[in-house]
Amino acid sequence: MTGPSGALSLLGRLVDASNGTFLAADEQDRHWVYKPVAGEAPLWDFPTATLGHREVAAYHLSEELGLGLVPLTVWWEGPLGEGSVQRWVDGAPSELIDLLEPTAVDETWLPILTGLSGDDRPVVLAHRDDPRLRQLALFDAILNNSDRKASHVLSHDGALKGVDHGVSLHHHTKLRTVLWGWAGDPLTDDELALAARAAGIDAPLAPGLADEEWEAVTARAETLLAEGVMPQPSERWPSIPWPPM
């Protein structure tokens, strides 16, 4: 499948999204998440009218690296104009990331930060030491994902899918994620090979972004290869998206 079959029909708006985001169906009743350019709210730190292109580019980067982490995402002319459309994932946010009571955090969890719940109870943001999450964390580092919330990691048929990549691929470092549990860990041979593949990308994988943003992809991959460890939080940029869940 290369995209929707025929015209899209709007089924409703996804009201939790910060930008105009819609559930749509194609002529074969397949469901898609449609993000028209017209629904994008301007951001101070990202070029105007590029968020949908970043969604498409994230899909192509995932495919180029052989990861399959991002649902099929294409550029499309929809009922509200051009924008990105992503194949709907019939799944739920992964249970591999959670807010836990401190006593529930055992050796199977990697704690990220502590805080207070809405009713002032101590809680710990943590994720499992799971290889699927670690692969996603490395992909996010190459992608420069600025918004990896727990709700953006979906579980579907035993696999994980990452969604909502509109604020990624900036040429300045903006990595914000809840997946910091492996920060500073040595990269495995497979992870080094993945970084080397990303470092070898010599042309844009999708239209709509500046050349310097694609050049930054290879630069980040080269940094991973040179340092040989999973990325660590920057002191110059908030490292956790808000809200984290």
Side-chain angles (χ1 to χ4, degrees), residues 213-237:
E213 292 176 305
W214 287 108
E215 292 164 0
V217 172
T218 59
R220 288 190 293 272
E222 289 167 354
T223 297
L224 287 168
L225 287 171
E227 295 181 351
V229 298
M230 292 288 283
Q232 302 182 71
S234 170
E235 296 180 356
R236 300 186 300 274
W237 177 255

Side-chain angles (χ1 to χ4, degrees), residues 130-184:
D130 186 284
R132 296 169 297 172
L133 278 183
R134 179 166 167 138
Q135 185 181 69
L136 185 59
L138 183 59
F139 172 67
D140 281 342
I142 297 169
L143 183 70
N144 197 17
N145 189 356
S146 186
D147 198 30
R148 178 61 74 202
K149 296 181 172 73
S151 58
H152 296 172
V153 183
L154 304 182
S155 180
H156 175 69
D157 290 340
L160 296 183
K161 294 290 184 182
V163 298
D164 285 323
H165 300 110
V167 285
S168 61
L169 289 160
H170 202 284
H171 60 284
H172 292 310
T173 299
K174 292 181 178 288
L175 182 61
R176 292 191 302 185
T177 177
V178 296
L179 302 178
W180 286 115
W182 303 280

Side-chain angles (χ1 to χ4, degrees), residues 6 13 15 35 60 62 65 98 121 157 169 184-185 195 206 223 229 243:
R13 183 166 182 170
V15 296
K35 298 183 177 182
H60 283 283
S62 170
L65 299 179
D98 208 349
R121 291 183 299 106
D157 290 340
L169 289 160
D185 282 5
T223 297
V229 298

